[in-house]
């Protein structure tokens, strides 16, 4: 399967600062990347869909000015959490997807655990 | 949008036992994937199975698209099978996946 990396794997920041998370597809060109957040013992909630070279599409209830997404190339998408607050502490997971063998499949990064103090 | 429900929410097995996890979805789909989330949070792709049956070692999956459900079978379970199993479904051409709430599996030695 395809390999997706995320950096950093863990970050602690102070309230009011911004944090950038990188998501890279290492061995394939992803036409679309997705960002999810997961709270403890809960499922993954889709935050936004990111297509290379175009603006991200945010899910209902996700603040686009707070969670800035950039998809500059077919292998890199970034999520910036601006003016972070303790309630933004969560596990953020990206996935990369594309057509392979005639069908569309998503592959997930290892996640980034964000703690805002 | 699509709703995805998984059952059971929790499952405890003795090593060597077999199990069946179920995923119901509310609408027709063109994408259905099963994942295993390990204790470190990594989601591992198990199956891409919008219809039909697939097998990979001790795991197999069947999706009956017309009846809107999918089943994941784990045979001869091992302690390393422990973790959360997610089913996710999607439709249309956006590639978006909606996740179920997961089944937490604990395999005891």
């Amino acid at each position: 399967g395809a390999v997706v990396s995320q950096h950093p794997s863990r970050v602690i920041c102070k309230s009011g600062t911004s944090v950038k998370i990188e998501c890279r597809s290492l061995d394939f060109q992803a036409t679309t990347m997705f960002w999810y957040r997961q709270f403890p013992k809960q499922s993954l909630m889709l935050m936004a869909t990111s297509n290379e070279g175009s603006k991200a599409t945010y899910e209902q209830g996700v603040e686009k000015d707070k969670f800035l997404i950039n998809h500059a190339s077919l292998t890199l998408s970034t999520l910036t959490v601006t003016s972070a607050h303790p309630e933004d502490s969560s596990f953020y997971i990206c996935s990369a997807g594309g057509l392979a063998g005639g069908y569309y499949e998503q592959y997930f990064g290892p996640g980034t655990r964000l703690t805002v103090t | 949008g699509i709703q995805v429900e998984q059952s059971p929410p929790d499952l405890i097995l003795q090593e060597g036992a077999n199990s069946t996890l179920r995923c119901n979805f509310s609408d027709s789909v063109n994408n259905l994937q099963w994942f295993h989330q390990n204790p470190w949070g990594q989601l591992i792709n198990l199956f891409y199975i919008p219809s039909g049956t697939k097998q990979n070692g001790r795991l197999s999956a069947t999706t009956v698209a017309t009846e809107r459900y999918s089943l994941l079978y784990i045979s001869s379970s091992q302690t390393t099978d422990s973790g959360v199993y997610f089913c996710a479904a999607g439709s249309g051409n956006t590639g978006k996946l909606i996740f179920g709430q997961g089944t937490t599996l604990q395999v005891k030695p």
Side-chain angles (χ1 to χ4, degrees):
Chain A
V3 180
V4 178
S5 71
Q6 271 185 251
H7 178 80
S9 58
R10 186 181 295 267
V11 59
I12 301 173
C13 71
K14 291 189 181 298
S15 187
T17 62
S18 295
V19 173
K20 180 185 283 189
I21 302 169
E22 290 187 351
C23 176
R24 294 182 184 271
S25 60
L26 298 183
D27 53 1
F28 74 106
Q29 293 186 325
T31 54
T32 308
M33 288 185 171
F34 303 86
W35 288 94
Y36 298 81
R37 64 190 298 183
Q38 184 181 30
F39 291 108
K41 299 193 182 302
Q42 294 189 21
S43 185
L44 281 74
M45 294 298 294
L46 180 65
M47 299 175 66
T49 302
S50 168
N51 291 294
E52 185 260 343
S54 63
K55 289 184 178 180
T57 302
Y58 291 82
E59 294 299 300
Q60 193 171 8
V62 177
E63 299 174 59
K64 61 181 67 175
D65 294 331
K66 180 169 188 60
F67 298 100
L68 302 180
I69 292 172
N70 183 273
H71 193 158
S73 76
L74 286 172
T75 59
L76 173 64
S77 178
T78 60
L79 167 68
T80 301
V81 183
T82 63
S83 188
H85 290 285
E87 57 265 30
D88 298 324
S89 298
S90 187
F91 191 52
Y92 292 87
I93 310 173
C94 74
S95 74
L99 282 171
Y103 58 84
Y104 196 98
E105 189 167 350
Q106 285 189 36
Y107 294 90
F108 285 76
T112 296
R113 196 164 302 280
L114 170 64
T115 303
V116 184
T117 61
Chain B
I2 295 173
Q3 295 182 344
V4 181
E5 295 183 358
Q6 292 184 242
S7 61
D10 299 282
L11 187 58
I12 300 174
L13 298 175
Q14 208 62 38
E15 198 169 27
N18 303 328
S19 62
T20 301
L21 282 60
R22 187 178 178 101
C23 172
N24 293 331
F25 42 94
S26 62
D27 207 343
S28 55
V29 301
N30 57 13
N31 189 347
L32 192 294
Q33 293 185 240
W34 281 97
F35 301 93
H36 175 212
Q37 188 170 38
N38 67 21
W40 298 272
Q42 173 77 62
L43 269 83
I44 299 165
N45 289 45
L46 297 178
F47 295 102
Y48 170 90
I49 188 164
S51 64
T53 298
K54 289 185 178 179
Q55 180 161 6
N56 184 3
R58 296 182 296 104
L59 302 181
S60 63
T62 295
T63 298
V64 183
T66 53
E67 297 187 21
R68 299 181 183 170
Y69 73 88
S70 183
L71 302 174
L72 176 69
Y73 305 97
I74 304 175
S75 65
S76 304
S77 57
Q78 301 175 358
T79 56
T80 52
D81 295 330
S82 296
V84 184
Y85 289 80
F86 287 107
C87 162
S91 64
N93 60 2
T94 64
K96 286 167 53 171
L97 286 175
I98 304 301
F99 277 73
Q101 290 303 304
T103 292
T104 300
L105 173 65
Q106 183 181 359
V107 181
K108 294 186 171 183

